[in-house]
Amino acid sequence: MSTASGTRVPGLTAAWDGLPGGTVLDERTVDGVGVLTTVVLDLDADMPTLHAWCTARGTAFWGLSHLSVDELRETYAVVDAMTHHHALLVRIDGTPVALVQAYEPALDPVGKVYDVQPGDLGAHVLIGARPPRAVAGYAPRLVREMARVLADRTGATRIVGEPDARNVAVLRVLERAGFTLGPEVDLPTKRARLTFYDVTPSR
């Protein structure tokens, strides 16, 4: 990642660059949730699951529902080739439940519409399935735990989101997870609502 002066500064996710699909980035036992495992998305093994999520009812705001499995793989192959944007699969007790895309805001279009601070890490979250056993307050709990995972593994002190401003359901989940809603901004593909979660890494 480069600053305005042109100085090269390693991004928060630099250690993830080039890791093969399936690499475990984090595994922890979370009370009331189970064993939470975060891995690098596998472009082959995970694609049928991801395609099912992206084309399921209620995921239109993710914007990929029109793609075939092969087209979706091509899309995530582009993400996989980036050094500042990483797709991660989340499992609870071995069951795939969510996709998280972590990125460096300074190198993303969102970095042009807000003042990026040191320690900021961008994240998109798609909750695709429920865990093997019931979890009270599941969606906000999972989002909050993933914010913690990202902070712990990168040193990020603030997680930044930019969901579609019309996606009231997700904005409600983010608020329940502890995110602060910021202003609406115009991005190349949508009118978005900035969201912020201040977090101190626990380890």
Side-chain angles (χ1 to χ4, degrees), residues 50-56 59-76 189:
L50 183 55
H51 185 262
W53 294 349
C54 290
T55 56
T59 58
F61 286 113
W62 198 252
L64 302 176
S65 60
H66 61 290
L67 299 181
S68 67
V69 174
D70 289 341
E71 290 169 333
L72 188 66
R73 188 190 187 285
E74 291 174 7
T75 297
Y76 278 94
T189 59

Side-chain angles (χ1 to χ4, degrees), residues 131-142:
R133 58 184 177 129
V135 174
Y138 171 58
R141 180 78 187 275
L142 179 59

Side-chain angles (χ1 to χ4, degrees), residues 118-138:
D120 280 1
L121 182 68
H124 307 297
V125 179
L126 173 62
I127 299 177
R130 301 197 69 81
R133 58 184 177 129
V135 174
Y138 171 58

Side-chain angles (χ1 to χ4, degrees), residues 5-93:
S5 64
T7 305
R8 182 70 179 173
V9 178
L12 296 176
T13 62
W16 299 349
D17 293 352
L19 292 178
T23 300
V24 175
L25 299 180
D26 186 271
E27 186 166 86
R28 61 185 66 191
T29 299
V30 180
D31 289 344
V33 175
V35 178
L36 188 70
T37 307
T38 305
V39 305
V40 177
L41 183 72
D42 188 308
L43 293 177
D44 295 313
D46 298 329
M47 210 46 52
T49 295
L50 183 55
H51 185 262
W53 294 349
C54 290
T55 56
R57 185 177 180 182
T59 58
F61 286 113
W62 198 252
L64 302 176
S65 60
H66 61 290
L67 299 181
S68 67
V69 174
D70 289 341
E71 290 169 333
L72 188 66
R73 188 190 187 285
E74 291 174 7
T75 297
Y76 278 94
V78 173
V79 174
D80 187 60
M82 295 178 178
T83 60
H84 62 277
H85 200 133
H86 306 273
L88 314 173
L89 187 79
V90 182
R91 299 188 181 101
I92 293 178
D93 293 337

Side-chain angles (χ1 to χ4, degrees), residues 1 3 9 12 104-106 114-121 155-160 198-199:
M1 183 168 66
T3 64
V9 178
L12 296 176
E104 308 288 347
Y114 92 100
D115 185 17
V116 180
Q117 300 296 311
D120 280 1
L121 182 68
T157 54
R158 186 168 69 162
I159 306 299
V160 181
D198 293 306
V199 57

